[in-house]
Amino acid sequence: MMLLWRRSLAARFLMLVLLALALSQAITFLISWDERGQALHAAAKGEFVSRTSSLALLLDTTPPSLRPDILNVSGTAYTRFWTSDDGPSNPLAWQQEALTELAKPLPGIAGKYAAYMNGQASTAVDAADPSVPPRMLDLSGNGMPFSRPAKFLYMDAAPNGMGLSVRLEDSTWLNAAYAKAMPNAFWTAQSAISLALTALILSAIAIFGAQAIARPLRRLANAAELFGRGEAVPRLPESGPDDIRQTAEAFNRMQERLQRFVEDRTRMLAAISHDLRTPLTSLRLRAEFVQDHDLQEKMLKTIEEIQTMTEAALAFAREDAAVEETRTVDLSALVGGLCDDLAELGQNVTVSDGPKVLYRCRPDSLRRAIRNLVENAIRYGEQAKVSLVRRADSLDIMVEDAGPGIPPGEMEQVFAPFFRLEQSRNRETGGVGLGLSIARAIARHHGGDIVLENRSNGLRAVIRLPLIDMAKQLAPAPVPETNPPTGLQSLPV
């Protein structure tokens, strides 16, 4: 239950609805419990008095010889009728007599309370508080169905017991006793069925409502994940309640701002690269007229280095802003094919065979990141051993070499653009210092990262890619746009 509470909005919403239902039912029960009991007693009393009144009228019009038979057939499992010459003068004695009559079985019917009365009547009467004796109530007049003397009694010694004595026209008294256990339990079969049906209907409504709330949130989470991995994400539909609509609008605005920021930065770098070509060309032409050959060679190398760094910076910015189609590929085949191509070119590269792993990525970019790591391993460690390892929450592409490694204090600095451990600035030995920067940018665009680890006999570089449910990697359905953002493919070079 706690796991569902933490992980599922629908389960949390459903639990809150059911909790509200339980609390409302409990409050209703506490409020109406006493009223229900009083209503049951009032209904039983009304029926008992009405039945006795009708029987009294019948006995008044019937010969005395038929009264015993009428009284026998009028009795029920919970009611007894008998006549007496005198009225109830002593309530306690009359109550004892009533309990005795209730204990007698009817002809052919075992008394439902016979065992109760025979075993506990005397004890109940003896245990009654003598300071509060039974009291007979006069029911004559007061809107009751009796125009003759009548006495009513609640029998505390019997379960929901009542007694009534009515004087007949011949001055004898008709006595009636009633004892029936009237359950006033809240948890009955009917209440259980009613509560279950109510809970079922509310659960269905709650699940429908929670899904309606969670669906746009899941769509937003998937879009944010895809956008964070560098994929092109269509605009989210800006519909629904204000809170959901405003959230979708905010995400769409954020996406457009980030796209404009990347576009502006790439345009700026492209413009800088373009504008630098003119003065670099002018410097190259002037260097050709320098008479000192050594000085001329140094100037040309410096100009070439500036031009190379400028072009590399532009390439790095383009890679950071490139929009390549994301598709599902066999990652093992991608890694193996790259290593085989480098091995055919004479590079010391080996790859470990692994199982087929399908992964949704931008294969050209990922191939470039792996190639940069492999080339670094060959340049500084003379060999590269590549393997693909599937872990619980990630896919690791490991590149190991046999070089000197990297000082611990410079593990993060090597990812900075143009940073090189080799300080000669010789392109043949150290490049321009953008290989690891580009590789990490690509890995992070895929939601992963690159981790460097010194081993006892070399360096291990790991491209760690997250394992994501394939269903979540699918981009949401495109939504028609009135003003779609400008694509990055059309940027000037």
Side-chain angles (χ1 to χ4, degrees):
M1 295 294 289
M2 293 302 299
L3 180 62
L4 288 175
W5 176 265
R6 290 194 298 267
R7 299 188 59 180
S8 174
L9 176 62
R12 181 174 296 190
F13 194 61
L14 176 60
M15 291 179 188
L16 289 175
V17 169
L18 293 180
L19 178 61
L21 174 62
L23 290 177
S24 63
Q25 291 292 329
I27 294 173
T28 302
F29 163 69
L30 293 176
I31 293 174
S32 62
W33 176 259
D34 187 57
E35 295 180 357
R36 183 173 183 271
Q38 292 178 2
L40 290 175
H41 280 284
K45 179 181 177 181
E47 181 183 358
F48 174 62
V49 171
S50 177
R51 184 180 181 86
T52 305
S53 174
S54 299
L55 185 58
L57 293 175
L58 177 63
L59 293 179
D60 283 338
T61 59
T62 303
S65 59
L66 298 179
R67 287 183 179 180
D69 294 333
I70 295 176
L71 294 176
N72 284 334
V73 298
S74 299
T76 67
Y78 310 104
T79 311
R80 296 294 186 273
F81 298 98
W82 73 99
T83 58
S84 60
D85 295 333
D86 300 323
S89 58
N90 186 344
L92 191 59
W94 190 94
Q95 177 177 269
Q96 181 62 46
E97 182 182 3
L99 294 175
T100 303
E101 291 292 333
L102 286 169
K104 294 179 180 180
L106 291 176
I109 302 177
K112 198 172 184 65
Y113 287 92
Y116 175 84
M117 298 302 175
N118 289 332
Q120 301 183 23
S122 60
T123 303
V125 173
D126 294 341
D129 189 352
S131 63
V132 187
R135 186 166 63 93
M136 303 295 293
L137 302 177
D138 190 355
L139 296 187
S140 303
N142 298 325
M144 298 301 292
F146 299 108
S147 58
R148 65 188 80 188
K151 301 292 185 179
F152 180 84
L153 172 69
Y154 279 114
M155 296 188 298
D156 298 332
N160 297 309
M162 290 177 284
L164 182 60
S165 290
V166 183
R167 193 178 70 178
L168 303 177
E169 291 183 352
D170 60 358
S171 298
T172 59
W173 289 78
L174 170 63
N175 302 291
Y178 174 87
K180 179 181 179 181
M182 291 182 291
N184 194 23
F186 173 73
W187 191 252
T188 61
Q190 183 178 1
S191 61
I193 294 174
S194 175
L195 183 61
L197 289 176
T198 304
L200 184 62
I201 295 173
L202 287 179
S203 299
I205 297 175
I207 292 175
F208 177 79
Q211 290 295 332
I213 297 174
R215 191 178 300 110
L217 294 180
R218 285 195 300 268
R219 185 165 55 238
L220 175 62
N222 293 340
E225 177 65 25
L226 293 172
F227 186 67
R229 288 162 54 86
E231 299 190 29
V233 181
R235 288 173 59 87
L236 293 178
E238 299 174 357
S239 59
D242 287 346
D243 295 338
I244 301 298
R245 178 177 52 78
Q246 291 171 3
T247 302
E249 291 175 353
F251 178 82
N252 290 334
R253 288 195 299 269
M254 178 199 69
Q255 183 178 202
E256 292 173 0
R257 288 167 183 164
L258 289 176
Q259 288 174 337
R260 284 197 299 268
F261 170 76
V262 174
E263 291 174 3
D264 293 343
R265 187 186 67 168
T266 307
R267 287 194 181 95
M268 179 188 67
L269 291 174
I272 292 174
S273 175
H274 181 272
D275 293 343
L276 282 176
R277 286 173 182 171
T278 300
L280 286 175
T281 302
S282 177
L283 285 175
R284 186 184 297 276
L285 291 175
R286 293 180 182 181
E288 295 291 340
F289 295 99
V290 176
Q291 300 298 325
D292 190 334
H293 180 72
D294 293 338
L295 178 61
Q296 182 188 51
E297 184 176 356
K298 290 180 181 179
M299 292 177 63
L300 291 175
K301 285 184 178 180
T302 301
I303 294 171
E304 183 180 359
E305 183 177 357
I306 294 174
Q307 185 172 359
T308 301
M309 293 179 66
T310 303
E311 297 293 341
L314 180 60
F316 176 70
R318 284 195 191 127
E319 180 64 39
D320 196 28
V323 179
E324 179 189 348
E325 180 183 357
T326 302
R327 60 183 187 272
T328 302
V329 298
D330 183 355
L331 203 56
S332 301
L334 185 147
V335 174
L338 173 63
C339 294
D340 292 341
D341 293 342
L342 293 175
E344 291 178 359
L345 296 176
Q347 304 289 348
N348 187 7
V349 181
T350 58
V351 59
S352 301
D353 294 333
K356 181 178 180 180
V357 179
L358 296 179
Y359 195 75
R360 186 173 173 82
C361 63
R362 293 179 295 283
D364 293 340
S365 298
L366 194 57
R367 186 182 291 109
R368 180 178 183 183
I370 300 172
R371 186 185 184 104
N372 286 354
L373 295 184
V374 172
E375 290 178 346
N376 275 356
I378 295 173
R379 181 180 296 116
Y380 297 107
E382 300 180 353
Q383 65 176 4
K385 295 181 180 180
V386 185
S387 59
L388 178 63
V389 179
R390 181 168 187 154
R391 305 191 185 278
D393 58 349
S394 66
L395 281 173
D396 290 356
I397 303 174
M398 297 189 297
V399 181
E400 300 175 342
D401 62 37
I406 297 177
E410 297 180 346
M411 282 290 189
E412 284 298 318
Q413 295 183 30
V414 295
F415 291 105
F418 304 110
F419 179 85
R420 300 195 313 177
L421 291 173
E422 199 273 329
Q423 300 296 329
S424 67
R425 311 304 296 180
N426 188 338
R427 291 178 58 196
E428 299 298 327
T429 59
V432 296
L434 282 176
L436 287 178
S437 300
I438 293 175
R440 170 169 271 191
I442 294 172
R444 288 183 172 177
H445 281 177
H446 283 81
D449 205 347
I450 293 182
V451 180
L452 302 179
E453 303 172 358
N454 281 321
R455 302 182 300 134
S456 58
N457 57 345
L459 178 72
R460 176 186 293 123
V462 181
I463 299 179
R464 186 154 292 160
L465 301 174
L467 275 178
I468 304 176
D469 186 5
M470 295 297 294
K472 292 184 178 180
Q473 296 186 43
L474 299 178
V479 178
E481 302 179 12
T482 55
N483 295 310
T486 304
L488 298 180
Q489 296 90 335
S490 61
L491 296 178
V493 179

